[in-house]
Amino acid sequence: MADLLGDLAALRRRARADRHAYAFPLLFFGVASFLALPLHEPVEGPTRAFAVRHPVLLGAYWLVVLVAGGLATVWWYRRRGARVGIETSTRGYLSALAIGLSGPVIGVALERLPFRFYSETGVGLIVLAVATALWHRGAPRVVTLTAAVLGTAVLQHDQPAIAPFIAIGLGLVVLAALERSTRFTTTTAAYLVALCVSAAFTPLAVPHPTAWTTGSVVVLPGLVLLVGGLAGLRRG
């Protein structure tokens, strides 16, 4: 009996490992992060740390990356599921990515309110935490989604330089919860910490800006994504 239970436990562990496909989104967004560095070409002379020469082009780049990355991740998970016979649902991942994409739009709407809107990073984090708690408690979907969208919008409004990385982080959190992989969960936690550190310690002004210093905010989270993706790829 003990041997049978042990075999069943081993089969469950193998099944969970077989459906792990997180290396692809980590590598995709990690590579995309470093490819974005040339687009962080600063304006001439001393400037704010995030004042790039072509902000519209940078925004369009991240929009394409997020949409293409989301669709490619769904395709990858379905392909992996068809191959191993166990598929991880990506519906929640797409919802999280959609929330991340809608955040800046909501932020623009908040700026057009008849009264002055003040954003605060802490407020955004609290609202997202409330949305997570409501989701775990089975609250109505409209309430959970509204809280998630508002929290994300406030967070991205207060931290515009890392807005795309916030959207990526939302998707990774959902995937980590679905996959139940210790390594992926650790990588996702490290990514979120790296994102906070990068945003907190990047200087607000740069005397002699370059594309590297202006885009330094993407280096640490991008590096975590690449290392986590390579580790997941090696695990197979």
Side-chain angles (χ1 to χ4, degrees), residues 3 59 68 74 89 117 129 136 140 145 148 186:
D3 292 340
V74 171
S89 174
F117 171 73
H136 277 292
L145 288 177
T186 302

Coordinates of all heavy atoms in Angstrom, one line a residue, residues 3 59 68 74 89 117 129 136 140 145 148 186:
D3 N 3.9 1.5 -1.1 CA 4.5 1.6 -2.4 C 3.6 2.2 -3.4 O 4.0 3.0 -4.3 CB 5.0 0.2 -2.9 CG 6.1 -0.3 -2.1 OD1 6.8 0.5 -1.4 OD2 6.3 -1.5 -2.1
G59 N 6.4 53.4 -26.2 CA 5.1 52.9 -25.8 C 4.5 51.9 -26.8 O 3.9 50.9 -26.4
A68 N 1.9 40.5 -28.3 CA 2.5 39.4 -29.0 C 3.0 38.3 -27.9 O 2.8 37.1 -28.1 CB 3.7 39.8 -29.8
V74 N 0.2 31.9 -24.7 CA -1.0 31.0 -24.8 C -0.8 29.9 -25.8 O -1.1 28.7 -25.5 CB -2.2 31.8 -25.2 CG1 -3.4 30.9 -25.4 CG2 -2.6 32.8 -24.0
S89 N -4.5 25.9 -17.9 CA -5.4 26.9 -18.4 C -4.7 28.3 -18.4 O -4.1 28.7 -17.4 CB -6.6 27.0 -17.5 OG -7.5 28.0 -17.9
F117 N -6.3 64.4 -9.4 CA -6.1 63.0 -9.0 C -4.7 62.8 -8.6 O -3.8 63.2 -9.3 CB -6.4 62.1 -10.2 CG -6.1 60.6 -9.9 CD1 -6.8 59.9 -9.1 CD2 -4.9 60.1 -10.5 CE1 -6.4 58.5 -8.8 CE2 -4.6 58.8 -10.3 CZ -5.3 58.0 -9.4
A129 N -3.9 44.2 -3.4 CA -4.0 43.2 -2.4 C -5.5 42.9 -2.0 O -5.8 41.7 -1.8 CB -3.2 43.7 -1.1
H136 N -9.7 35.4 -3.8 CA -9.6 34.1 -3.0 C -10.9 33.8 -2.3 O -11.2 32.6 -2.1 CB -8.5 34.2 -2.0 CG -7.1 34.0 -2.6 ND1 -6.7 32.7 -3.1 CD2 -6.0 34.8 -2.9 CE1 -5.5 32.8 -3.5 NE2 -5.1 34.0 -3.5
P140 N -17.8 38.4 -6.3 CA -18.3 38.6 -7.7 C -17.2 39.1 -8.6 O -16.4 39.9 -8.2 CB -19.4 39.6 -7.5 CG -19.9 39.4 -6.1 CD -18.7 39.1 -5.3
L145 N -12.6 42.3 -10.6 CA -11.9 42.9 -11.8 C -11.8 44.4 -11.6 O -10.8 45.0 -12.0 CB -12.7 42.6 -13.0 CG -12.6 41.1 -13.5 CD1 -13.4 40.9 -14.7 CD2 -11.1 40.8 -13.8
A148 N -9.0 45.2 -9.3 CA -7.7 44.9 -9.9 C -7.3 45.9 -11.0 O -6.2 46.4 -11.0 CB -7.8 43.5 -10.6
T186 N 9.3 31.2 -7.0 CA 10.5 32.0 -6.5 C 11.0 33.0 -7.5 O 11.3 34.1 -7.1 CB 11.6 31.0 -6.1 OG1 11.2 30.0 -5.2 CG2 12.9 31.7 -5.6

